[in-house]
Amino acid sequence: MSCGSSSRHRQQLMQEMIDDVRPPPPPPTSTTTIRSVLKQSNEPIKTKRPVKNSINNGKPDKLADLLNLEEAESDAETTKKVQALEGLKRLVKELQMEKEENKRAAASRVRLLTKDDPESRVTLAMLGTIPPLVAMLDFEDSNSQIAALYALLNLGIGNDQNKAAIVKAGAVHKMLKLIESLNEPSQAVSDAIVANFLGLSALDSNKPIIGSSGAIPFLVKTLKILDKQSGCQARHDALRALYNLSISPSNIPFIMESDLIPFLVNALGDMDVSERILSILSNVVSTPEGRKGISIAPEAFPILVDVLNWTDSPRCQEKASYILMVMAHKAYRDRQAMIEAGIVSSLLELTLLGSMLAQKRASRILEVLRVDKGKQVSGNLGGNTSAAVSAPIYGSSANQYGKDCLVEEGMMSEEKKAVKLLVQQSLQNNMKRIVNRANLPQDFVPSEHLKSLTASSTSKSLPF
């Protein structure tokens, strides 16, 4: 009986039960019409079924019929599940056969069954599917390797127990063995291995195992080979796998040894992968080795400062500002490199135009630079708070301009002097850019009007 017919049968029984418990219609009155009498006479006479004695207080046996129907459907569903289980058992037996063709066909079947069915992933893993699939990675036939790799990949989707079981069965070692063999694997096999490293590295307990196994150099090599191929899925899988592995601090030394940081820094600007790269650098910067690796990467600070100006990518701004904030808190040398890269003007702009999180982080960096500059000024002046502090202005009139500010700046606190100095330097850096863009002479001297503008700038314009 089909599902539709059984449902209609159940509804019919329920309706008949309701009709049985309704009170009988009243006898016809004198107002009964001829039409109603004819209608009643034309209807067939219904014979009542015998009522079985039961404990249901005299209810008709239609309730028992309904329960029997549900029981029959339950039995049919149970039979169907048993048959499906027997089919999975036969599939596992085929994986354990000696013929490679049978195993390859069974692995392809496992791949299809586990693609969108979480219950099949659990059942097949319990029946012992994982060990024979891992053993298939030793085959020389690339088609068998691909079938086994994608079957393992689908078994691990959304199932942490299967991910742990796959690693425990030795899949990571066998995949690396394929990579390091004399006969390099095909691109299809390589892509399948990258996808498996991505899936397996999502489990925290697998991260240290995969990171220390030698998978990171392979992922970095794959990333470099596929560089600039924006539509390549393996490139994105490699980046995501490296991100997963970078979450574990124990993997940072392996990442540093692979020379990944300079490559990632230089790849910033490719909007297809920049956010993922900044996510990796955000994990790397959490360790001293990672911060050192970023600071010594060529042009790292100018590139990261440039990211702060990507007003159309707030998430990239937030991640770049986080990296710079952590590094600014940890090392004086890095703070100096940031200032030389022109970070102050970018931060001031970010505090006005960036997202709420980017504004907060930019303000934190400015605060660190302000305190650092205040200590430097205080040390140079020997603690004399009444001494003058003036911004370096182009031209021979700089000294005279500093003397004109003695009275005003002598009344300022050291912190306000440092903030004013930062603002003036920012304005002068912007002036440099304007001069360069306008192809003006390099000995161009700002006008007296510009000097008055920079002189009148105070910390009141800053968001803290």
Side-chain angles (χ1 to χ4, degrees):
M1 182 183 296
S2 62
C3 294
S5 60
S6 64
S7 177
R8 288 193 297 270
H9 188 196
R10 185 187 296 108
Q11 293 177 358
Q12 183 178 0
L13 289 175
M14 292 295 295
Q15 185 62 39
E16 291 178 358
M17 291 172 60
I18 294 174
D19 294 339
D20 288 342
V21 297
R22 286 177 179 173
T29 61
S30 58
T31 59
T32 304
T33 61
I34 299 175
R35 181 179 299 177
S36 62
V37 173
L38 291 175
K39 183 178 179 181
Q40 292 178 2
S41 62
N42 291 330
E43 290 180 353
I45 300 175
K46 297 180 181 180
T47 59
K48 294 185 179 180
R49 297 179 181 178
V51 180
K52 297 180 180 180
N53 295 327
S54 62
I55 61 174
N56 293 329
N57 298 325
K59 288 186 179 180
D61 61 345
K62 292 185 177 63
L63 179 59
D65 293 342
L66 183 61
L67 295 176
N68 292 334
L69 178 62
E70 292 180 351
E71 184 178 355
E73 292 180 354
S74 178
D75 293 341
E77 186 177 354
T78 302
T79 303
K80 184 178 179 180
K81 290 183 178 181
V82 171
Q83 292 175 352
L85 181 60
E86 293 297 327
L88 294 180
K89 289 181 178 180
R90 289 193 298 269
L91 185 59
V92 174
K93 290 181 179 180
E94 292 177 3
L95 282 174
Q96 298 171 348
M97 291 182 178
E98 296 182 359
K99 290 185 179 181
E100 184 174 340
E101 295 181 358
N102 293 343
K103 291 186 176 183
R104 182 169 61 249
S108 300
R109 180 64 177 163
V110 171
R111 175 185 178 182
L112 292 176
L113 288 174
T114 56
K115 183 178 180 180
D116 300 312
D117 189 358
E119 187 175 351
S120 294
R121 296 170 195 151
V122 175
T123 305
L124 284 170
M126 293 177 62
L127 292 174
T129 309
I130 292 176
L133 286 173
V134 172
M136 286 181 63
L137 299 180
D138 292 330
F139 292 170
E140 296 182 358
D141 178 44
S142 61
N143 292 328
S144 298
Q145 296 169 358
I146 292 173
L149 285 168
Y150 281 110
L152 291 171
L153 176 65
N154 289 349
L155 280 169
I157 295 176
N159 193 307
D160 291 344
Q161 291 182 349
N162 288 358
K163 287 186 177 73
I166 292 170
V167 172
K168 187 176 181 180
V172 174
H173 171 72
K174 290 185 180 295
M175 286 190 289
L176 292 175
K177 186 178 178 181
L178 282 177
I179 298 167
E180 299 167 355
S181 61
L182 296 177
N183 299 325
E184 293 187 1
S186 63
Q187 187 63 46
V189 174
S190 179
D191 293 350
I193 293 175
V194 171
N196 269 273
F197 280 142
L198 169 60
L200 296 175
S201 62
L203 183 63
D204 288 340
S205 60
N206 286 345
K207 288 179 173 63
I209 300 174
I210 298 174
S212 60
S213 67
I216 291 177
F218 163 70
L219 293 171
V220 174
K221 180 181 177 181
T222 302
L223 195 61
K224 292 180 178 179
I225 292 175
L226 301 176
D227 189 28
K228 306 304 180 185
Q229 297 185 19
S230 58
C232 183
Q233 183 63 40
R235 183 192 186 200
H236 291 277
D237 289 347
L239 266 177
R240 293 167 63 193
L242 287 169
Y243 168 75
N244 288 343
L245 295 174
S246 67
I247 295 175
S248 176
S250 62
N251 288 332
I252 301 301
F254 301 110
I255 292 177
M256 304 310 301
E257 293 174 0
S258 65
D259 199 30
L260 174 64
I261 303 303
F263 174 79
L264 294 180
V265 171
N266 290 328
L268 285 174
D270 183 354
M271 299 306 296
D272 196 35
V273 294
S274 289
E275 185 177 343
R276 185 70 61 184
I277 289 174
L278 291 168
S279 298
I280 296 174
L281 295 178
S282 298
N283 292 332
V284 170
V285 79
S286 63
T287 64
E289 301 94 332
R291 290 192 292 273
K292 182 179 179 181
I294 295 175
S295 64
I296 64 177
E299 300 297 319
F301 289 110
I303 292 174
L304 288 171
V305 170
D306 185 57
V307 176
L308 299 179
N309 300 320
W310 294 356
T311 54
D312 57 341
S313 181
R315 291 182 63 86
C316 288
Q317 288 180 329
E318 293 169 0
K319 295 179 185 298
S321 60
Y322 172 79
I323 296 167
L324 292 168
M325 180 181 67
V326 174
M327 299 191 73
H329 273 275
K330 297 296 182 179
Y332 171 79
R333 183 181 62 181
D334 293 339
R335 294 194 288 271
Q336 292 299 111
M338 294 177 195
I339 294 175
E340 293 174 1
I343 193 175
V344 175
S345 59
S346 298
L347 291 174
L348 291 173
E349 182 178 354
L350 195 60
T351 56
L352 299 175
L353 303 177
S355 65
M356 293 297 294
L357 183 57
Q359 289 179 12
K360 182 178 179 180
R361 290 172 176 173
S363 299
R364 292 283 299 275
I365 300 173
L366 282 171
E367 183 179 357
V368 174
L369 297 178
R370 179 193 68 185
V371 174
D372 194 46
K373 180 60 73 173
K375 292 179 181 179
Q376 181 181 358
V377 172
S378 178
N380 293 337
L381 298 178
N384 185 6
T385 58
S386 62
V389 179
S390 61
I393 304 296
Y394 293 114
S396 58
S397 61
N399 294 334
Q400 183 63 36
Y401 171 70
K403 293 179 182 179
D404 295 338
C405 299
L406 282 173
V407 177
E408 178 186 355
E409 295 183 347
M411 301 174 64
M412 293 182 182
S413 66
E414 290 297 328
E415 291 186 356
K416 290 184 177 180
K417 290 177 184 178
V419 172
K420 180 179 179 181
L421 183 59
L422 290 175
V423 174
Q424 291 174 351
Q425 288 177 345
S426 174
L427 292 173
Q428 291 157 20
N429 288 333
N430 290 336
M431 190 64 190
K432 286 182 183 179
R433 297 177 183 177
I434 295 173
V435 169
N436 292 332
R437 292 177 181 176
N439 294 323
L440 296 176
Q442 294 298 322
D443 57 351
F444 174 77
V445 180
S447 64
E448 294 298 327
H449 178 64
L450 177 62
K451 293 178 182 179
S452 64
L453 288 176
T454 58
S456 61
S457 300
T458 65
S459 60
K460 293 180 180 180
S461 61
L462 295 177
F464 54 83

